[in-house]
Amino acid sequence: MRRDRDVAERTQAGSPAGELAALDVWTAVITCCDHAGVDVDGHAALPGRAVPAGEVVKRVAVVIGTRAEAVKCALVVRELQSLPGVRPWVIATGQHEGAALEALALFGVRVDEALDPPAAGISLAARTAAVQMALAPVLIAGRFDQVLVHGDTVSALAGALTGFLAGIPVVHLEAGLRTHDLSSPFPEEGNRVVISRVAALHLAPTLRAAAHLTSEGIAAGRVVVTGNTAIDAVLHAAALPPQPSTGAGSASAHGWAEFARRPGRLVLAGAHRRESWGRPLERIRDAIGRLAVLHPTVNFLVPAHMNPHVQDLWRAGLPARDNLHLTGPIEYAAFARLLATADLVITDSGGLQEEAAAFGVPVLVTREKTERTEGLRAGCARLVGTDTDGIIKEACIALARPWADSTPNPYGDGRAAGRAAAACAWFLGLGPSPDSWPG
């Protein structure tokens, strides 16, 4: 259903045939499950999934599509690998093919099954359908005991729905984030709400996220507060020694490393969310350009998202300035070290709101709403919208009087991955009830 023409354009609707394929995915996935003898009306056990005599290993499918998912799931995978009786199986959907694999490798995690990536240029509906179709036979053949998905991406939604339809209990990492507005962020708010309805175990990053879940009728006994694994990941990555880089985000490819060594303060800026496409992102871009003129001794580095449409929007209007540099995505470890030294972040990214808090870096959130209200309440982030003059005003204030240095991190203590893995093991019957992070 289309809410309005603007949202319809952002969905990149595609052809009628593509939309029909998206609608047909339910029939195809359910048929695939039916052929395997699966009850699609609940979390029924797959035939033959009982552990053989003497075998105690439980198999956990970890579905990963984007770089952010790879970053936030990698240390959970490593924690699961360390637990007796648990075998994680990493499935890469190809949503952010190269970037996700690069991030997993950074944390020493290998992919067990790589799916063919969805075709480029298709609609959100068709992309979700394609990932479901690719996942269904893998999840069924693997006879998994759990499916772990993270957050609110196409891959997370497809993994959760496919696992649910295959009768496999779904564990939702980073559960309970809400803006209570299905159009912002779009489609992420809708994706995570749907995932919450089919998940069996909810790993909430904060007490507020857990409260959202229980207010929606989810039993408190199925919710564990873990802290956010983004904090574990960014602290781990920032502590890694620099390595020669040959990937897509390498200094040799984009020249950002030389720029980052310039004297002066550093501002990291960016915007990429779908609801920002068009005029909102143009206003954010214009604000960054004007700030670079107003603050010639401050360096503004813009690592643009890998989406070609987003990169084109950024290239279209930034002024040529010595203190302003546009680049592509930066490898995660290098980016984490940059973030640790930054003086200000201006972004619409959800993950960056969490990661910056790990280093006490203030964040201006260029969105109308955020699901990460903990940072606003703690004073380490401010919601500034997408008005050019408003962003400039708040950025000038932040550069004149930094305000987040000593703010306690409201998102985690760096031990969320261990709690998440322990909760998975508990739900599999392999350990005690886990302790929640007190927040």
Side-chain angles (χ1 to χ4, degrees):
M1 182 178 69
R2 311 287 190 198
R3 282 182 296 279
D4 53 50
R5 179 171 180 170
D6 187 42
V7 171
E9 289 172 352
R10 293 198 299 269
T11 65
Q12 296 182 316
S15 68
E19 295 302 330
L20 287 172
L23 293 174
D24 288 344
V25 74
W26 288 98
T27 302
V29 173
I30 290 172
T31 300
C32 190
C33 293
D34 284 343
H35 287 170
V38 178
D39 176 5
V40 298
D41 292 325
H43 297 299
L46 287 170
R49 281 184 66 221
V51 178
E55 178 62 72
V56 295
V57 173
K58 300 285 189 178
R59 290 166 58 80
V60 179
V62 183
V63 179
I64 292 173
T66 67
R67 179 168 110 157
E69 287 171 312
V71 166
K72 293 185 175 185
C73 290
L75 292 179
V76 178
V77 171
R78 287 182 48 173
E79 290 284 351
L80 288 170
Q81 290 170 337
S82 72
L83 296 177
V86 180
R87 170 67 168 95
W89 187 263
V90 177
I91 303 171
T93 70
Q95 188 176 343
H96 287 176
E97 191 175 13
L101 299 182
E102 186 178 82
L104 288 172
L106 173 70
F107 295 94
V109 173
R110 69 179 181 86
V111 172
D112 297 292
E113 190 121 18
L115 308 180
D116 291 333
I122 60 176
S123 71
L124 288 172
R127 186 176 297 114
T128 305
V131 176
Q132 283 189 264
M133 289 295 292
L135 273 173
V138 174
L139 292 182
I140 293 170
R143 300 192 174 188
F144 293 101
D145 300 280
Q146 268 182 9
V147 176
L148 176 67
V149 299
H150 170 274
D152 47 33
T153 68
V154 162
S155 295
L157 177 64
L161 290 175
T162 308
F164 171 73
L165 290 172
I168 309 171
V170 174
V171 179
H172 188 197
L173 181 65
E174 198 177 87
L177 275 62
R178 296 288 187 272
T179 63
H180 306 290
D181 180 351
L182 290 177
S183 68
S184 180
F186 179 84
E188 289 84 358
E189 179 76 1
N191 289 352
R192 55 194 174 220
V193 169
V194 171
I195 294 170
S196 292
R197 304 321 303 169
V198 302
L201 178 63
H202 309 260
L203 305 181
T206 64
L207 292 170
R208 180 167 292 276
H212 290 153
L213 294 166
T214 55
S215 73
E216 294 169 2
I218 293 170
R222 295 295 180 97
V223 179
V224 178
V225 180
T226 61
N228 200 302
T229 56
I231 305 305
D232 306 37
V234 75
L235 293 174
H236 176 93
L240 294 173
Q243 299 291 327
S245 177
T246 58
S250 66
S252 60
H254 297 291
W256 58 263
E258 183 177 351
F259 178 83
R261 287 193 291 267
R262 286 168 51 95
R265 290 181 292 172
L266 175 65
V267 174
L268 293 175
H272 71 279
R273 303 198 71 87
R274 192 170 291 267
E275 67 270 18
S276 295
W277 291 7
R279 284 298 301 146
L281 198 150
E282 290 170 0
R283 291 193 295 268
I284 297 167
R285 178 199 65 203
D286 293 345
I288 302 304
R290 286 172 54 186
L291 282 166
V293 174
L294 291 170
H295 297 273
T297 63
V298 176
N299 299 312
F300 293 82
L301 178 60
V302 182
H305 191 271
M306 63 194 73
N307 185 295
H309 179 64
V310 172
Q311 294 198 3
D312 289 344
L313 282 169
W314 276 104
R315 290 193 191 99
L318 282 179
R321 299 279 306 175
D322 289 343
N323 65 327
L324 175 58
H325 186 76
L326 175 67
T327 183
I330 298 173
E331 290 172 328
Y332 187 69
F335 183 79
R337 288 188 289 271
L338 277 177
L339 180 59
T341 65
D343 296 275
L344 178 65
V345 171
I346 303 174
T347 186
D348 66 359
S349 164
L352 254 178
Q353 294 174 56
E354 301 153 352
E355 293 162 333
F359 304 113
V361 180
V363 179
L364 299 182
V365 183
T366 53
R367 292 164 60 175
E368 303 305 325
K369 297 180 181 180
T370 179
E371 59 279 83
R372 292 164 173 86
T373 57
E374 294 87 353
L376 305 182
R377 293 171 180 272
C380 50
R382 292 179 182 172
L383 194 64
V384 300
T386 62
D387 176 71
T388 299
D389 291 336
I391 295 169
I392 292 171
K393 176 183 175 182
E394 291 292 342
C396 289
I397 292 172
L399 288 169
R401 299 192 302 276
W403 35 263
D405 254 349
S406 59
T407 303
N409 188 347
Y411 295 114
D413 59 358
R415 295 192 288 273
R419 293 190 192 95
C424 291
W426 162 71
F427 207 68
L428 289 166
L430 298 178
S433 177
D435 294 329
S436 284
W437 179 52

